[in-house]
Amino acid sequence: MADVAGIPQWLYIQTGQDIVIEPYVGAGPFGDTYGPATVVRCIVDERRRLVRDATGDTVVSETTVYCPLTVAAPPGSRVTLPDGRVSVVLTSSRGDGGRLPVPSHLEVAVR
């Protein structure tokens, strides 16, 4: 059985963890501004890899999280990982399987 976003529930039982995402809204007069914090059940992969950020530069991502497609996590968003570490979204990409029987998800690479 899959949830609304298409990630099977049994994967959450094995590897699911809660993170907190504060979506980046923009730069304000007193610094960056963020939307309301949202607790999200996701799958956390603590594997280091190279990714391209929003500007096209190659950077190191320390963690990748797989979230439901309904989650908003634009580059620059703040993410609090299950171990309490606060990080920043480098890039996010949609994996929408549409009507295919594959798990649809949002892949979020964080510092």
Side-chain angles (χ1 to χ4, degrees):
M1 178 177 192
D3 68 0
V4 176
I7 298 175
Q9 289 296 319
W10 60 269
L11 283 175
Y12 288 125
I13 294 168
Q14 298 297 321
T15 59
Q17 299 173 328
D18 291 339
I19 64 169
V20 177
I21 298 178
E22 298 170 82
Y24 178 73
V25 176
F30 302 106
D32 294 338
T33 58
Y34 300 93
T38 305
V39 177
V40 178
R41 173 66 79 167
C42 65
I43 297 169
V44 178
D45 182 5
E46 295 279 349
R47 185 176 4 170
R48 182 178 291 161
R49 65 188 181 116
L50 292 175
V51 298
R52 297 227 183 246
D53 66 7
T55 63
D57 292 332
T58 302
V59 294
V60 176
S61 169
E62 297 291 334
T63 305
T64 302
V65 293
Y66 301 92
C67 306
L69 282 176
T70 55
V71 172
S77 298
R78 255 191 317 227
V79 177
T80 304
L81 297 168
D83 63 3
R85 184 170 41 113
V86 177
S87 193
V88 176
V89 172
L90 297 168
T91 185
S92 59
S93 57
R94 293 174 53 89
D96 190 347
R99 295 183 347 187
L100 296 174
V102 296
S104 297
H105 62 281
L106 182 70
E107 181 179 323
V108 181
V110 299
R111 269 193 200 121

